[in-house]
Amino acid sequence: MTSTVPAPVTRTAEGSALQAVLLDMDGTLVDTEGFWWDVEVEVFADLGHTLDDSWRHVVVGGPMSRSAGFLIESTGADITLAELSVLLNQGFEERINRALPLMPGAARLLAELAEHEVPTALVSASHRRIIDRVIASLGPRHFTLTVAGDEVARTKPYPDPYLLAAGGLGVDPARCAVVEDTATGVASAEAAGCHVVAVPSVAPIAAAARRTVVPSLEHVDLTFLRGLMPL
């Protein structure tokens, strides 16, 4: 876990029960879920294997250890998990160095949270080297702290990343709003006891208790997030 902004974490709007906003990265703030799949396809093509497009829904949103392990097992590729992880991270980093498209509404939401001094954390299954590269583009000032997938013993779909973020901010997970784009991320946030806003990127996500589904971040602002919290 890395703290990027030495800002106070207890300041919330008067009368609001919202204590913090926790945001996923790939597919939520930055339009990069497709980047990962493209890199996986290219790497396995170099290894002599063709990936089945239906596997994309299996690997999306999860930790690299799970996604890469699944692809190795499914293809029978002669490569270790550690070797594949290096190739995938390198390929992904090359892509975001060329372009890092934001999801619609992401820049506005980050600016609004910063303007109102809402404690905000980035919680991703991506590795620290990737998160730091993305944060440099998004602006470190927008995040009080960040949690990377290679910094927790159990990453998404386990609750650990979101519990770590809430603990680092000194807030109650039940008073946190989480924004996620995949079922894996949603499961992690809900297991931590957070209120979830799902913005599906690759596969549909159904609405449920303590979970609101919206078509894009353009439907999400601070008033909307505060409205998720019981008074």
Side-chain angles (χ1 to χ4, degrees), residues 113-194:
L113 295 175
E115 178 185 356
H116 291 273
E117 298 183 302
V118 178
T120 303
L122 185 74
V123 183
S124 176
S126 291
H127 289 186
R128 170 56 56 189
R129 60 179 285 187
I130 299 298
I131 286 182
D132 286 347
R133 172 63 186 83
V134 173
I135 287 290
S137 180
L138 292 176
R141 66 191 179 280
H142 290 121
F143 303 98
T144 309
L145 61 82
T146 60
V147 175
D150 55 344
E151 295 174 340
V152 290
R154 303 187 307 173
T155 187
K156 304 173 186 180
Y158 294 100
D160 305 36
Y162 282 107
L163 292 175
L164 181 62
L169 293 173
V171 298
D172 180 356
R175 295 296 182 180
C176 294
V178 169
V179 185
E180 274 279 1
D181 72 302
T182 67
T184 299
V186 167
S188 173
E190 290 181 342
C194 305

Side-chain angles (χ1 to χ4, degrees), residues 42-122:
E42 290 183 8
V43 168
F44 277 89
D46 290 341
L47 295 171
H49 299 275
T50 300
L51 299 188
D52 189 314
D53 195 60
S54 66
W55 295 344
R56 181 175 183 178
H57 296 304
V58 178
V59 301
V60 67
M64 184 172 293
S65 58
R66 188 196 73 184
S67 301
F70 169 83
L71 294 175
I72 291 173
E73 182 178 354
S74 298
T75 61
D78 184 18
I79 189 170
T80 67
L81 181 60
E83 291 168 340
L84 180 56
S85 296
V86 170
L87 293 177
L88 294 178
N89 274 323
Q90 287 177 343
F92 184 79
E93 198 163 1
E94 288 171 3
R95 274 171 168 71
I96 63 176
N97 283 338
R98 294 196 298 267
L100 186 60
L102 298 184
M103 298 298 288
R108 173 200 48 77
L109 178 60
L110 289 175
E112 183 179 17
L113 295 175
E115 178 185 356
H116 291 273
E117 298 183 302
V118 178
T120 303
L122 185 74

